[in-house]
Amino acid sequence: GICGETNTVITPEFAGKLGCAVSRIAGSYIAVACGNDNAAETLKNALLSGISSTGKQCFDCGNASLPVLLHTASLLNCSLAVHIDSKTRTDILIYNSGMLPLTRVQERLLENALNRGEYLSASWNNFSCINKFTGAIPLYNAMLEGITDFTVPFHISLNCVNDSASVCLPYAAKIGTGKEELTITLSERLTKSEIADNKGNVIDYDSMIMLAVMSKLKKGAETALPFAFPRVADVMAEQLGGKIHRFYASSMDNRDAEARRIAAEEKFLYDGFVLAVQVLKFIEENKLTIPEALELLPKFSEIRKFIYISCPPQKILGRISGDTSESEGVMISGDGERIFLRSNKKGNGLYMFAESASSETAAELCAKTEKLIKDIMRDGGQS
């Protein structure tokens, strides 16, 4: 994505240029939506104007949450989806077909178009039409209506700071027919969720994904997860006689094409309410309590940390892995423990994921790896 201070870094002029730039990587229609603020609306209109000026076709999906936009873009067979949220800062998120992250090739084309002005340009009579699409919310409601065909013995309440979550309220009420309190907490972008009962039992986001995956594997279906998701999911899949395909955050080639194909069907990867519904349906089908659902999962703990670095990430990752070739990152595994490292897009830091059966061991792995990184930086990245 792209972020910056509203009307200082992210201006209507920049949004117009970005519209021209995303047209370079679009194979077909581009779907665009935004939050409810006036700034987001203005930036969306500027971005749509930029797309139109290149001759590429686009849909204006109006004010819609990110999950609503991605669901709509998928149904409309769009090659790209762009979502804009604006307050003091603006976040612009760009998704590929299948509602997945852009590939490395697409990222570079987009960067070159922005930095060098390598835009497409239509003649005066070939500007495209900005197609107003007002069916995003009805289409999303129809999907929710279809997947909430069951009930659970809870009274379900929704907790979210984003007003757009209100579209989910009727469906939470529809499936929650009992008296025991259950709370679904949605992330600000509505892409993640967790569930808590009134006894203090909490299914966190990673465990929610694991239960959603388990529900698919038990039915013999294929499933896919991001490369960085805890590897304990693969252990669980093997125990259930299945396999999890992995896709990259920024795919360099087509090695993860099969995983991306499968992931494109997994709405729970980008829609927190759909994830909660899938987990609740699994709980109901198996007549489980929240603690019993948690007991089904293998024990794991993951610590995520960001480390600023003072030398090129390839030198650090190369020293740690013994290989300087570019890849998604570096994985160090053994005895049920794992460290995964990958650089950020700016190249000034590393994301670290430490995974173990206990939080204490995960913390030790973090500290040990961070010391190794600092030692390499002190040596200037030299072997």
Side-chain angles (χ1 to χ4, degrees):
I2 297 166
C3 63
E5 191 173 343
T6 303
N7 220 21
T8 302
V9 177
I10 309 296
T11 63
E13 179 186 11
F14 174 82
K17 290 179 179 177
L18 181 60
C20 296
V22 296
S23 298
R24 284 293 306 270
I25 60 172
S28 60
Y29 280 83
I30 304 168
V32 184
C34 68
N36 294 319
D37 299 284
N38 288 340
E41 183 79 28
T42 297
L43 293 170
K44 180 199 69 174
N45 291 338
L47 186 135
L48 286 165
S49 295
I51 296 170
S52 173
S53 74
T54 68
K56 284 285 182 178
Q57 297 293 324
C58 53
F59 285 110
D60 178 359
C61 296
N63 303 126
S65 68
L66 181 56
V68 171
L69 170 66
L70 296 182
H71 176 68
T72 303
S74 178
L75 291 178
L76 295 175
N77 201 28
C78 294
S79 62
L80 290 177
V82 184
H83 192 271
I84 303 172
D85 263 318
S86 291
K87 289 186 171 48
T88 55
R89 288 176 64 80
T90 292
D91 290 320
I92 303 176
L93 299 175
I94 306 167
Y95 285 82
N96 207 339
S97 58
M99 307 311 109
L100 295 166
L102 300 182
T103 64
R104 188 69 58 87
V105 171
Q106 287 175 312
E107 285 179 348
R108 286 174 177 164
L109 281 172
L110 185 61
E111 288 166 3
N112 287 341
L114 276 174
N115 296 334
R116 302 176 190 172
E118 296 175 354
Y119 308 137
L120 300 174
S121 184
S123 59
W124 72 269
N125 58 343
N126 280 321
F127 277 47
S128 67
C129 175
I130 298 174
N131 300 283
K132 293 281 186 181
F133 187 77
T134 58
I137 299 295
L139 282 174
Y140 187 72
N141 282 335
M143 182 272 292
L144 292 184
E145 186 67 38
I147 65 172
T148 53
D149 57 348
F150 65 99
T151 60
V152 290
F154 301 103
H155 176 269
I156 299 173
S157 58
L158 282 184
N159 178 29
C160 186
V161 297
N162 190 332
D163 292 341
S164 298
S166 60
V167 71
C168 304
L169 285 171
Y171 304 98
K174 177 186 172 185
I175 62 175
T177 59
K179 293 184 178 179
E180 184 182 346
E181 285 293 327
L182 195 73
T183 302
I184 299 172
T185 299
L186 298 171
S187 63
E188 185 173 1
R189 288 177 180 159
L190 311 185
T191 55
K192 298 181 179 182
S193 62
E194 64 179 34
I195 290 175
D197 65 15
N198 58 1
K199 299 180 181 68
N201 300 299
V202 178
I203 308 178
D204 63 23
Y205 174 67
D206 282 351
S207 298
M208 295 276 286
I209 292 289
M210 292 273 285
L211 287 170
V213 166
M214 181 182 286
S215 72
K216 297 208 70 173
L217 292 172
K218 278 180 173 287
K219 294 173 181 176
E222 292 184 304
T223 190
L225 289 174
F227 190 82
F229 192 84
R231 291 285 147 171
V232 70
D234 297 277
V235 176
M236 180 186 74
E238 287 177 14
Q239 292 170 348
L240 294 171
K243 178 187 176 183
I244 292 173
H245 299 263
R246 297 280 182 159
F247 61 91
Y248 299 128
S250 182
S251 181
M252 291 180 63
D253 49 37
N254 285 323
R255 281 180 295 172
D256 64 345
E258 180 66 5
R260 283 179 163 249
R261 181 192 65 78
I262 297 167
E265 304 299 320
E266 307 284 35
K267 286 186 173 60
F268 65 80
L269 290 176
Y270 63 78
D271 190 322
F273 188 71
V274 169
L275 173 61
V277 168
Q278 188 153 336
V279 169
L280 288 173
K281 188 165 189 176
F282 175 71
I283 286 172
E284 174 57 24
E285 286 173 344
N286 294 276
K287 306 302 176 189
L288 302 170
T289 63
I290 300 300
E292 287 169 346
L294 287 167
E295 280 297 316
L296 291 176
L297 299 176
K299 297 293 181 287
F300 73 100
S301 180
E302 185 183 57
I303 295 176
R304 304 177 186 188
K305 195 168 184 179
F306 182 76
I307 304 168
Y308 284 100
I309 56 176
S310 57
C311 65
Q314 294 87 348
K315 289 189 176 182
I316 296 173
L317 297 178
R319 279 280 301 275
I320 291 173
S321 69
D323 181 1
T324 57
S325 62
E326 271 190 275
S327 66
E328 178 76 2
V330 167
M331 180 94 71
I332 309 167
S333 302
D335 298 325
E337 299 169 354
R338 176 188 78 132
I339 287 281
F340 174 60
L341 294 166
R342 67 176 171 86
S343 66
N344 66 343
K345 297 293 171 61
K346 291 183 179 178
N348 65 347
L350 294 173
Y351 293 104
M352 177 165 62
F353 305 81
E355 181 186 351
S356 181
S358 74
S359 57
E360 293 82 4
T361 307
E364 289 172 10
L365 286 170
C366 253
K368 182 179 176 182
T369 307
E370 188 168 5
K371 181 180 182 302
L372 174 60
I373 291 168
K374 287 178 179 177
D375 288 344
I376 292 172
M377 285 192 292
R378 199 174 295 116
D379 296 339
Q382 301 302 312
S383 55

